[in-house]
Amino acid sequence: AQKVTQAQTEISVVEKEDVTLDCVYETRDTTYYLFWYKQPPSGELVFLIRRNSFDEQNEISGRYSWNFQKSTSSFNFTITASQVVDSAVYFCALSDSGNTPLVFGKGTRLSVIA
Amino acid sequence: DTEVTQTPKHLVMGMTNKKSLKCEQHMGHRAMYWYKQKAKKPPELMFVYSYEKLSINESVPSRFSPECPNSSLLNLHLHALQPEDSALYLCASSQDRLAADEQFFGPGTRLTVL
């Protein structure tokens, strides 16, 4: 069965600090896709990244970077030099090769304090 | 146009009312979704439409009735709701129902049932 675990419920950092959000997943499939979404207070989920199981290259997009490690079933997300606008709930999600729905983790609430 | 729109933004209804939530996308996506999100929880999938046909109903009570009039529109008809149905209702769309397809979410409708 699929499962996504985000062990950090809430994180609070001071602006300009780096912060890493952890995501650990479980699946029996060899082909699967991992996603990160951001949900600001306005409510809309914003797609951040998709990674397939065959591509273990880390990715960087501006202040955001993602570390995918199949050996530990983790897909962690790092924000460098955090800003107040990064305050949101971040969800990690998993989709396998079948027709099963997207499985979300419970989310990590990030508060960046000025 | 990479936007999913939802109306209304807020809705307050009594338990005997009938109301509808509307969702629209003009990205040519063929899969559309309804999610329910309670406070401090991840989104929970309710329904999936693929090519205008209902493909997943996650055991949702019959007081929620989805409708897909065409490939751009998705409605959720509400009748005889309970106070515990109060939540943020999110609509999403994706290119197809493939595991690789990222979902684009609307801003949601905040529903309060009195």
Side-chain angles (χ1 to χ4, degrees), chain A residues 1-4 26-28 32 94-97 100-103:
Chain A
Q2 296 175 309
K3 187 177 177 183
V4 175
E26 294 176 29
T27 178
R28 291 189 181 140
Y32 53 88
L94 167 69
S95 179
D96 70 16
S97 56
T100 52
L102 192 61
V103 174

Side-chain angles (χ1 to χ4, degrees), chain B residues 9-10 16 23 33 41-42 55 58 60 65 69 89-90 113:
Chain B
K9 285 190 176 180
H10 301 273
T16 58
C23 174
Y33 310 76
K41 298 286 186 185
S55 60
E58 292 284 344
V60 179
S65 174
Y89 288 83
L90 293 161
V113 181

Side-chain angles (χ1 to χ4, degrees), chain A residues 75-96:
Chain A
F75 186 41
N76 296 337
F77 172 30
T78 297
I79 302 174
T80 303
S82 59
Q83 300 176 1
V84 173
V85 293
D86 296 327
S87 297
V89 180
Y90 291 86
F91 290 100
C92 181
L94 167 69
S95 179
D96 70 16

Side-chain angles (χ1 to χ4, degrees), chain A residues 37 39 50 95-96 99 101 105, chain B residues 37 42 45 97 99-100 102-103:
Chain A
Y37 284 88
Q39 188 173 37
R50 173 189 58 206
S95 179
D96 70 16
N99 282 329
Chain B
Q37 187 179 24
L45 184 66
R97 255 205 66 210
E102 65 265 33
Q103 295 179 26

Side-chain angles (χ1 to χ4, degrees), chain A:
Chain A
Q2 296 175 309
K3 187 177 177 183
V4 175
T5 301
Q6 294 180 256
Q8 305 147 308
T9 306
E10 294 191 28
I11 300 176
S12 186
V13 299
V14 176
E15 205 171 19
K16 297 184 184 174
E17 284 185 359
D18 298 348
V19 58
T20 295
L21 309 183
D22 297 333
C23 173
V24 174
Y25 62 92
E26 294 176 29
T27 178
R28 291 189 181 140
D29 279 7
T30 55
T31 301
Y32 53 88
Y33 300 85
L34 295 161
F35 302 82
W36 275 95
Y37 284 88
K38 173 183 179 180
Q39 188 173 37
S42 58
E44 179 176 350
L45 271 85
V46 178
F47 166 75
L48 296 177
I49 190 172
R50 173 189 58 206
R51 172 65 75 222
N52 75 56
S53 53
F54 298 107
D55 181 2
E56 285 195 73
Q57 278 194 332
N58 291 331
E59 177 142 348
I60 298 175
S61 176
R63 295 184 297 106
Y64 294 171
S65 62
W66 290 268
N67 183 347
F68 177 32
Q69 291 198 335
K70 284 176 78 170
S71 59
T72 56
S73 296
S74 65
F75 186 41
N76 296 337
F77 172 30
T78 297
I79 302 174
T80 303
S82 59
Q83 300 176 1
V84 173
V85 293
D86 296 327
S87 297
V89 180
Y90 291 86
F91 290 100
C92 181
L94 167 69
S95 179
D96 70 16
S97 56
N99 282 329
T100 52
L102 192 61
V103 174
F104 286 90
K106 292 187 176 180
T108 297
R109 181 176 299 275
L110 174 66
S111 298
V112 181
I113 304 163

